[in-house]
Amino acid sequence: MEKIKSTTVVAIKHNNQVVIGADGQATLGNTVAKSSVNKIRKLQNGKIVTGFAGSTADAFTLLEKFEEKLGAFGNNMKRAAVELAKEWRTDRMLSKLEAMMIVADSEDILIISGTGDVIEPDEYIATIGSGSMYAQSAARALKKFAPQLSAEDMVRESLGIAADVCIYTNHNLVIEKVQ
């Protein structure tokens, strides 16, 4: 049985503003299963925003675990991310989950993977999912050549460019600012 998968997520910090966005497409094999999935979640009253790519059910499991870690470590996002990555890599059930997450607060953006990685991306641009390299290339170009744009505009345009070239990414966007 094939899993439903979700695709492109982008987070950008620019001019002291952090924004994360995602497209709305979920695919089952090579078929669009749903075109309006919300892959972005606000935590801690919007002070932390997360985005996920990969198997939807797996991503929700990881999101719940991340929230548990936040509570256990006093809402320290970096510590919670490291502890989640450690558990994800070593726990028998969690290690089978197929998803990735971006977590962001007003200071940092992190990518968390099931291999135990917690990555603080260069240039405050994080992307995950099938259209991630398209979105990352667009975001880097926008940051370099259009610095007058807001972080929200950069996220929107990066996702739009990814949707234009990646068949697993669509133009139904959800975009959230970190408070």
Side-chain angles (χ1 to χ4, degrees):
M1 177 104 176
E2 291 187 76
K3 290 185 179 182
I4 292 178
K5 296 202 174 188
S6 304
T7 53
T8 309
V9 182
V10 178
I12 297 174
K13 181 177 181 182
H14 182 68
N15 292 336
N16 294 316
Q17 186 180 45
V18 179
V19 178
I20 187 168
D23 75 304
Q25 186 165 306
T27 59
L28 182 59
N30 59 1
T31 303
V32 175
K34 186 171 179 173
S35 63
S36 59
V37 176
N38 183 352
K39 304 168 195 171
I40 304 297
R41 297 289 182 270
K42 291 195 244 182
L43 307 174
Q44 308 297 320
N45 296 317
K47 292 179 182 165
I48 296 174
V49 181
T50 68
F52 60 84
S55 171
T56 306
D58 292 354
F60 281 121
T61 300
L62 293 169
L63 181 62
E64 288 174 12
K65 284 287 189 186
F66 182 68
E67 284 186 282
E68 286 176 19
K69 298 296 182 191
L70 279 172
F73 295 102
N75 297 326
N76 181 324
M77 187 184 77
K78 279 187 175 179
R79 178 81 188 274
V82 168
E83 294 301 323
L84 173 62
K86 283 172 29 181
E87 184 176 349
W88 190 355
R89 186 184 71 240
T90 59
D91 182 90
R92 189 177 256 208
M93 188 219 40
L94 289 180
S95 67
K96 295 178 180 158
L97 299 181
E98 297 177 12
M100 290 184 79
M101 294 176 62
I102 294 176
V103 296
D105 63 14
S106 62
E107 298 297 317
D108 298 299
I109 298 172
L110 303 171
I111 299 170
I112 309 171
S113 80
T115 57
D117 295 320
V118 176
I119 300 166
E120 196 165 9
D122 293 332
E123 301 179 41
Y124 291 106
I125 298 169
T127 62
I128 57 174
S130 59
S132 65
M133 291 301 102
Y134 307 116
Q136 184 177 42
S137 296
R140 290 181 70 158
L142 290 168
K143 258 193 148 184
K144 184 173 183 177
F145 297 110
Q148 74 279 6
L149 293 177
S150 69
E152 182 174 353
D153 290 338
M154 289 180 182
V155 166
R156 186 178 315 284
E157 291 302 316
S158 297
L159 286 166
I161 289 167
D164 288 343
V165 294
C166 177
I167 63 170
Y168 297 107
T169 304
N170 70 16
H171 289 276
N172 296 336
L173 309 180
V174 173
I175 298 174
E176 294 287 351
K177 295 178 189 174
V178 174
Q179 300 300 316

